[in-house]
Amino acid sequence: MEFFYFSLTCDSNEITKYKDDADIVFCIAKGKISSNLNERASFTHSRFLLEKSKKFKRNFSCISHKKDLSLIAYADFKIGVDIEYLRARNYQNQVDFCFSKDEKIMLENSKDKLKEFYKIYTTKESLIKFGDKEFCDIDKLGICEQGGYYFKNSKIKFAKISSFCFEDFIFSVAYQG
């Protein structure tokens, strides 16, 4: 299994090699698991990831899983993360159920629709975690191009939102830095 770690400095909004003074540290475990827990891959990945990432621990953390991939983020402020594989798929059902009118327009106007779909989707999931909401609220959550988000019938709130592609996956983080 592979283990990657890198960091984000909020002012630059760029992923870099790990730095002790970074605002957010990301740790990723990727690969097949040789264990009798293969049907519970995310459980085994979490254990592996938590053990490997102990030295990066901060006041807040958030974790995300996808098949043989796990991501944990650490920061000294509240954060939410989500990770997905970038793979061709028919995503229309998710768009119809989860995306606001503005998000559908953002997707339609995008040159790379698949990447834009995953960027919006992972952003929404990271905001759900950041905002202590539940997945059933995803259709009530909207993203503004200016970096704000809103829940239907509530005021716009602002969080910093960043999305990154790495190898064959994309992840998004929502935070107040």
Side-chain angles (χ1 to χ4, degrees), residues 16 50 53 100 107 152-153:
T16 62
L50 290 170
S53 67
S100 68
L107 179 62
K152 286 184 182 171
N153 302 321

Side-chain angles (χ1 to χ4, degrees), residues 1-4 27-31 45 48-49 68-71:
M1 188 175 326
E2 296 175 86
F3 177 70
F4 307 95
C27 300
I28 295 175
K30 180 182 177 188
H45 268 171
F48 174 81
L49 195 55
D68 60 347
L69 184 65
S70 296
L71 164 72

Side-chain angles (χ1 to χ4, degrees), residues 140-167:
K140 298 175 188 87
L141 171 69
I143 301 168
C144 305
E145 288 190 57
Q146 303 83 6
Y149 65 97
Y150 60 90
F151 285 91
K152 286 184 182 171
N153 302 321
S154 68
K155 295 179 182 178
I156 291 178
K157 299 179 182 180
F158 286 91
K160 294 180 181 178
I161 302 166
S162 299
S163 297
F164 305 96
C165 292
F166 183 75
E167 293 190 355

Side-chain angles (χ1 to χ4, degrees), residues 32-44:
K32 299 291 181 205
I33 300 163
S34 57
S35 153
N36 62 354
L37 294 172
N38 278 338
E39 68 279 0
R40 302 287 305 180
S42 63
F43 173 78
T44 307

Side-chain angles (χ1 to χ4, degrees), residues 69-135:
L69 184 65
S70 296
L71 164 72
I72 191 165
Y74 294 110
D76 286 324
F77 42 82
K78 192 171 183 180
I79 54 174
V81 295
D82 188 55
I83 193 165
E84 292 283 339
Y85 274 105
L86 283 169
R87 63 178 175 87
R89 65 184 278 190
N90 180 350
Y91 50 76
Q92 194 57 51
N93 287 341
Q94 286 83 2
V95 171
D96 292 343
F97 176 74
C98 301
F99 283 29
S100 68
K101 181 181 171 185
D102 291 339
E103 293 160 349
K104 289 175 184 175
I105 292 169
M106 289 166 57
L107 179 62
E108 185 61 36
N109 292 335
S110 174
K111 291 179 182 175
D112 187 340
K113 292 188 183 355
L114 185 68
K115 193 178 281 187
E116 186 68 15
F117 163 76
Y118 281 112
K119 179 181 174 186
I120 294 169
Y121 192 80
T122 58
T123 296
K124 288 174 79 83
E125 284 213 30
S126 68
L127 283 166
I128 283 172
K129 293 174 183 180
F130 173 78
D132 296 323
K133 300 293 182 181
E134 296 181 19
F135 185 79

